[in-house]
Amino acid sequence: MVARAYTVAFEGVEAREVEVQCAMTPGMPAFSIVGLPDKAVSEARERVRAALTAMSIALPSKRITINLSPADLPKEGSHFDLPIALAVLSALGILPDDAIEGTVSLGELSLDGTLVPVIGALPAAMAAAEQDRGLVCPAGSGAEAAWVDATKVIAATSLGDVVRHYTGQVMMEPAKAGQIARGKALLDLQDVKGQERAKRALEIAAAGRHHLLMVGTPGSGKSMLAARLPGILPPLSAMEALETSMIHSLAGLLDAGGISMDRPFREPHHTASMAAIIGGGRGAKPGEVSLAHNGVLFMDEFPEFPRTVLETLRQPIETGEVMIARANNHVKYPCRFMLVAAANPCKCGYLSDASRACGRAPACGDDYMGRISGPLMDRFDLRVDVPPVAYSDLDLPSTGDTSATVAARVAAARQIQTDRYEGHSIRCNADLAVGLLDDMAAPDAEGRALLSKVADRFGLSARGYHRVLKVARTIADLDGSEKIEKPHVAEAVSYRIASLAPV
C-alpha cells in the first residue's frame, strides 16, 4: 500500500504540485528519499525520524521509500519535512488517508517535532486553493498563508498538534491573516531645496511608471530626490499587493505575515552581483529586479555597476519578466518595476565646474557615461540634469508642493489610466503597447509636427519616438487633458534630450 501526501515545489512564483508517496515494504531496514531531492530534502529523513521518536512513534523494521513525484522536477528546501512525516504517519495508519490527501502541507521539523516557519507559504496557499485542498503549515507561516481566503489554513506549532487535529483529539481553528504592515515614515519632497525640474520629472515618472535617469554633481540631491519617490507613489492595488507579496514570501521578506500596501523601494549597492540584481544563486531566488516588482528599483552610482549587470537589465525592462536559465531548469519571475538611476557626469563628478574638474575633462565625461550602453540609455524615458544648489539657497524657505499634494496629482493620473485601459492588460502608460499608441496616445497635428522635427534633428530611435509619446500621454493625464497637445509633447521631448545624458 502506498500512502500519499501533497506539497509544492517552487519554480519562480509558481508553486507546482508534488505528490509525496510513502511505501513500506519488507527488506533490509532503510529510509530513502528519491525524486531529485537536494541536500536539505535528503536530510529530512533524519529530522522526520527524530521528530517521530520525540512523539514516541517508532518506525517499523522495514524498507521505507519516499518518492517525490514528478520525479524529474528538482526538489529544494526544508519545507518537505512535514509532508514526508504526514505520508509516513498515513502509511503507519496513524492518520486517515483521506484527510492527508485533501491537504497541501509544508514546514520544517525540529528534532523535537516543533514546526519551523518556511518561505513560500503564500504561493503554496494559492496552489492549495487552485487544487481545492486545505493547507497545513507552521504557526509562524499561518498569518501569511491565511491571506488566501479561498482555502482553509491550519497553522500548527508542532507535528503533534497536526496529529491531534487530524485524529479528532484537539481541533485547531483556521489561521487568521496577518495585519497590513505599516510603512515607515515617508520623506517629504518639499525638503529638497531647489531642483524644481527634477521634482517635475519625478512626478511624471511616478504618474506613468517611466524610467528616470538623473545626472548631476556629487551632493546635488539625486539620492534625496529618489528617497522621496515612495511618498508620491499610489498604494498597491489588492492584485498588485498579492503579486508582490508572493515574491517577497519566496525571499522570506514578509514580516510576521503582514502584507504591505506600500510599493517596494529597492536600492542595491553598486557592488551587487548579477545574481543579486537579476536573480539566481542557490535555488534561483528572486533578485532585486523582481523584489522591486510593482515598485521602484533605485540604482545609485549607475555607471559603477558592472557592465554585465547593466546589460542584463535591458530585456527585463522591456518584457516585465526575467528568466533565470539553468542547465536543468528555467525559472521565471515577474519584474515590472520603475528604474530610477543616478549618476555623476564623470569620474571626478565635477565635469560642469571648470574650477573643480579634473585635467581629463571633457573626455572623462564621455568615457564615464560611455559605461552605459546606447541601447540601455535608450530605455530611459526621462533624463534630467540635477545641477548643484548654491549655498545661499539652502537657507531659503522650502518651495514647491509637498509630497501629499504631488501624490494626489499622481493618484488622479493613475486613475485616469486605469479607466482608459480597462479591458486591456495595461496598468499605466509605460505598459502601453505600440499597436495602441495611435488610439491612446496620438498627439494633435502641432504636437506630431514637433515630434517629427525632433526625431529628425536628434535621430530618435523607434523606441525613443514611442517613449516620448508615452511620456506626453502621462503629462497630459497630469493636466487632466484627454488630448495630447504641443506643450505636452514639448515637455516630453525636453526630458529626452538632457545635455548630460546623450541621446
Side-chain angles (χ1 to χ4, degrees):
M1 177 182 175
V2 176
R4 292 174 171 82
Y6 292 89
T7 186
V8 293
F10 299 110
E11 284 191 337
V13 293
E14 180 184 357
R16 291 188 57 181
E17 177 185 320
V18 173
E19 184 180 275
V20 182
Q21 305 164 354
C22 176
M24 295 185 179
T25 57
M28 186 69 69
F31 192 147
S32 59
I33 301 176
V34 298
L36 281 185
D38 72 346
K39 186 66 173 176
V41 181
S42 297
E43 292 173 346
R45 59 178 177 267
E46 302 303 332
R47 293 190 292 270
V48 170
R49 191 192 304 273
L52 293 178
T53 300
M55 297 173 60
S56 301
I57 298 175
L59 292 176
S61 299
K62 294 183 178 182
R63 183 174 186 83
I64 302 173
T65 303
I66 301 293
N67 179 42
L68 306 177
S69 177
D72 61 346
L73 176 68
K75 319 298 188 307
E76 300 176 343
S78 60
H79 68 276
F80 287 90
D81 291 6
L82 180 57
I84 290 174
L86 294 182
V88 170
L89 290 170
S90 179
L92 292 173
I94 295 175
L95 294 179
D97 296 342
D98 57 345
I100 300 305
E101 291 182 7
T103 299
V104 172
S105 57
L106 76 165
E108 178 184 331
L109 282 172
S110 296
L111 298 184
D112 60 357
T114 303
L115 286 173
V116 179
V118 292
I119 64 173
L122 184 58
M126 293 285 291
E130 293 174 359
Q131 301 167 25
D132 198 22
R133 291 189 172 102
L135 179 74
V136 177
C137 64
S141 303
E144 171 188 334
W147 281 99
V148 182
D149 55 7
T151 187
K152 181 181 179 181
V153 177
I154 298 298
T157 304
S158 66
L159 180 60
D161 290 342
V162 178
V163 172
R164 285 185 287 272
H165 175 79
Y166 281 111
T167 56
Q169 300 176 48
V170 180
M171 302 298 292
M172 289 184 290
E173 293 294 326
K176 296 182 179 180
Q179 299 295 318
I180 294 179
R182 294 183 176 179
K184 59 183 180 181
L186 300 177
L187 303 174
D188 199 305
L189 198 60
Q190 202 174 45
D191 296 337
V192 181
K193 302 293 181 68
Q195 308 298 5
E196 298 306 322
R197 178 172 171 78
K199 291 179 183 179
R200 173 63 173 172
L202 212 64
E203 178 180 345
I204 296 170
R209 200 185 62 74
H210 299 291
H211 305 303
L212 169 65
L213 173 64
M214 295 183 288
V215 181
T217 56
S220 59
K222 303 183 296 295
S223 298
M224 284 185 66
L225 287 162
R228 282 149 179 80
L229 186 55
I232 64 175
L233 289 170
L236 293 169
S237 66
M239 181 59 70
E240 290 174 333
L242 188 58
E243 291 174 358
T244 305
S245 297
M246 287 176 67
I247 301 173
H248 288 193
S249 174
L250 291 170
L253 298 180
L254 291 188
D255 185 16
I259 288 183
S260 176
M261 303 303 289
D262 296 330
R263 294 186 180 273
F265 184 83
R266 307 292 301 182
E267 41 184 341
H269 193 262
H270 62 261
T271 57
S273 66
M274 185 185 300
I277 299 296
I278 300 300
R282 182 178 176 273
K285 296 300 182 185
E288 293 292 336
V289 295
S290 298
L291 296 175
H293 181 57
N294 290 322
V296 178
L297 178 65
F298 174 51
M299 301 180 74
D300 202 2
E301 307 296 344
F302 194 60
E304 296 292 340
F305 281 83
R307 178 69 176 265
T308 53
V309 172
L310 294 182
E311 292 307 300
T312 55
L313 293 173
R314 287 158 56 175
Q315 186 175 358
I317 286 175
E318 289 294 322
T319 63
E321 60 185 21
V322 59
M323 177 70 76
I324 302 173
R326 294 294 179 265
N328 61 346
N329 200 14
H330 289 69
V331 178
K332 183 186 295 184
Y333 289 105
C335 59
R336 198 163 294 281
F337 59 90
M338 178 169 68
L339 176 61
V340 177
N344 296 326
C346 62
K347 188 69 176 179
C348 69
Y350 298 102
L351 181 67
S352 58
D353 187 347
S355 63
R356 305 178 69 180
C358 66
R360 294 189 63 246
C364 64
D366 294 334
D367 293 343
Y368 191 67
M369 294 303 294
R371 297 181 182 183
I372 308 173
S373 69
L376 180 57
M377 186 73 79
D378 199 37
R379 284 164 168 81
F380 283 103
D381 305 317
L382 303 164
R383 309 168 189 176
V384 61
D385 294 339
V386 185
V389 179
Y391 301 114
S392 57
D393 293 340
L394 297 178
D395 294 330
L396 296 177
S398 299
T399 59
D401 295 327
T402 63
S403 288
T405 302
V406 176
R409 292 198 296 264
V410 170
R414 285 284 184 113
Q415 186 58 51
I416 291 173
Q417 295 166 52
T418 300
D419 297 339
R420 179 189 300 124
Y421 302 130
E422 185 176 1
H424 299 276
S425 58
I426 299 173
R427 295 179 180 175
C428 52
N429 289 330
D431 301 331
L432 190 58
V434 173
L436 294 175
L437 284 174
D438 288 339
D439 296 332
M440 305 290 189
D444 60 14
E446 291 184 346
R448 188 173 294 278
L450 173 62
L451 184 54
S452 297
K453 291 180 180 179
V454 171
D456 290 339
R457 170 66 177 82
F458 293 96
L460 291 182
S461 66
R463 179 190 293 114
Y465 184 90
H466 293 148
R467 287 181 179 269
V468 169
L469 286 177
K470 295 176 184 180
V471 173
R473 176 70 274 174
T474 298
I475 295 171
D477 290 340
L478 285 169
D479 284 349
S481 172
E482 180 63 29
K483 296 181 179 180
I484 300 178
E485 300 174 351
K486 183 178 179 180
H488 304 141
V489 175
E491 185 176 3
V493 165
S494 71
Y495 292 112
R496 189 75 189 179
I497 55 176
S499 61
L500 292 180
V503 174

